[in-house]
């Protein structure tokens, strides 16, 4: 089974209810992502970048959920993790 195949059934269901409003929302979202990427000078639709983001997020997840010490995080990321945990009451 492909790692993304469980999304295909949801996508098919989405296409069945595709109307003017949902199509407009989809186009609006894609345009917003494109403009943000253009402003920040990044390719918003770079699949390799998406996959890298998933790898990095899985690496940071134990720090967010369990408070585990994750080696190699920079000071900014550590501060963001601490703030997140404090706001969630997980200090």
């Amino acid at each position: 089974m492909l790692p993304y195949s469980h999304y295909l059934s949801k996508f098919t269901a989405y296409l069945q209810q595709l109307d003017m409003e949902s199509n407009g929302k989809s186009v609006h979202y894609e345009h917003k992502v494109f403009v943000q990427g253009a402003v920040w000078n990044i390719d918003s639709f770079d699949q390799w970048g998406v996959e890298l983001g998933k790898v990095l997020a899985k690496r940071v997840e134990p720090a967010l959920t369990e408070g585990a010490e994750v080696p190699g995080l920079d000071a900014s990321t550590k501060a963001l993790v601490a703030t997140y945990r404090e706001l969630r009451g997980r200090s």
Side-chain angles (χ1 to χ4, degrees):
M1 185 163 143
L2 298 172
Y4 55 83
S5 62
H6 66 280
Y7 292 110
L8 294 178
S9 62
K10 292 180 181 178
F11 183 71
T12 304
Y14 173 75
L15 286 179
Q16 290 173 353
Q17 63 183 357
L18 191 61
D19 56 7
M20 294 287 282
E21 181 181 359
S22 59
N23 188 32
K25 287 179 180 179
S26 177
V27 170
H28 174 261
Y29 173 77
E30 294 295 324
H31 179 69
K32 179 180 80 167
V33 170
F34 168 76
V35 170
Q36 288 173 340
V39 168
W40 296 330
N41 197 26
I42 59 171
D43 180 3
S44 302
F45 302 100
D46 174 19
Q47 192 60 37
W48 296 109
V50 171
E51 294 303 319
L52 175 60
K54 290 177 185 177
V55 169
L56 296 175
K58 284 185 187 228
R59 191 171 148 244
V60 174
E61 184 180 23
L64 294 169
T65 57
E66 305 160 13
E69 184 64 35
V70 177
L73 296 182
D74 61 11
S76 174
T77 305
K78 287 180 182 179
L80 287 171
V81 167
T83 301
Y84 171 84
R85 290 190 54 79
E86 181 181 317
L87 292 173
R88 290 294 214 164
R90 297 180 180 172
S91 310

